[in-house]
């Protein structure tokens, strides 16, 4: 049919009265998504280095800082990876101090698995060129 003259009884918005146009649906605002703050060229040039930050821990962080210290995108991911590594280290220290209890080592194991999953999620977000603060860690504001 002709789009300017649709068939009789045609309703382009099923579930609504004919002639009613529902308001547009915008994507939800994510306060932890900082992708728009970075230059797309910076993102594309430094994806591999940012992946290394999450894959290689402290060594990856050092390599990233040495290889591209001027990139704001790399600096963002270095901050996020440092947060993850600090939480991991604190969990290890608490576990070492309270290893004789049963609940602390179990909780530390769950935390370690959760942080590993967060690293994997961050890795795949870098693959798609995003700069999102990781879950769990996003509420830590010890380093801006």
């Amino acid at each position: 049919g002709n789009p300017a003259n649709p068939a009789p009884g045609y309703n382009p918005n099923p579930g609504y009265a004919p002639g009613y146009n529902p308001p547009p649906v915008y994507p939800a605002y994510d306060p932890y998504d900082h992708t728009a703050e970075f230059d797309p060229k910076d993102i594309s040039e430094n994806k591999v280095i940012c992946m290394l930050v999450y894959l290689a821990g402290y060594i990856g962080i050092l390599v990233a800082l040495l290889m591209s210290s001027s990139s704001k995108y790399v600096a963002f991911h270095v901050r996020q990876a440092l947060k993850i590594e600090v939480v991991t280290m604190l969990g290890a220290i608490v576990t070492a101090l309270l290893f004789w209890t049963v609940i602390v080592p179990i909780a530390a194991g769950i935390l370690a698995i959760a942080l590993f999953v967060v690293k994997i999620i961050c890795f795949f977000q870098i693959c798609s060129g995003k700069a999102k603060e990781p879950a769990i860690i996003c509420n830590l504001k010890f380093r801006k």
Side-chain angles (χ1 to χ4, degrees), residues 42-51 73 126-129:
D42 185 16
I43 293 173
S44 66
E45 288 176 355
N46 294 300
K47 270 187 186 179
V48 174
I49 294 170
C50 289
M51 289 177 194
Y73 185 66
I126 291 171
C127 291
S128 62

Side-chain angles (χ1 to χ4, degrees), residues 9-21:
Y10 171 75
N11 185 359
N13 299 309
Y16 296 102
Y20 172 75
N21 289 324

Side-chain angles (χ1 to χ4, degrees), residues 105-131:
I106 292 172
I110 293 169
L111 176 67
I113 291 169
L115 290 173
F116 181 72
V117 170
V118 167
K119 281 184 175 185
I120 292 171
I121 292 169
C122 290
F123 178 83
F124 285 110
Q125 285 178 345
I126 291 171
C127 291
S128 62
K130 297 224 183 311

Side-chain angles (χ1 to χ4, degrees), residues 78-118:
V78 164
R79 278 193 305 275
Q80 305 314 312
L82 272 173
K83 288 179 185 179
I84 293 172
E85 295 302 328
V86 166
V87 170
T88 303
M89 185 62 66
L90 290 175
I93 290 169
V94 169
T95 304
L97 293 175
L98 300 173
F99 70 93
W100 48 270
T101 65
V102 175
I103 193 75
V104 172
I106 292 172
I110 293 169
L111 176 67
I113 291 169
L115 290 173
F116 181 72
V117 170
V118 167

Side-chain angles (χ1 to χ4, degrees), residues 28-29 37 40-42 63 70-71 89 115 129 136:
Y29 171 70
E37 299 172 17
K41 185 176 183 230
D42 185 16
V63 169
S70 62
S71 169
M89 185 62 66
L115 290 173
I136 302 171

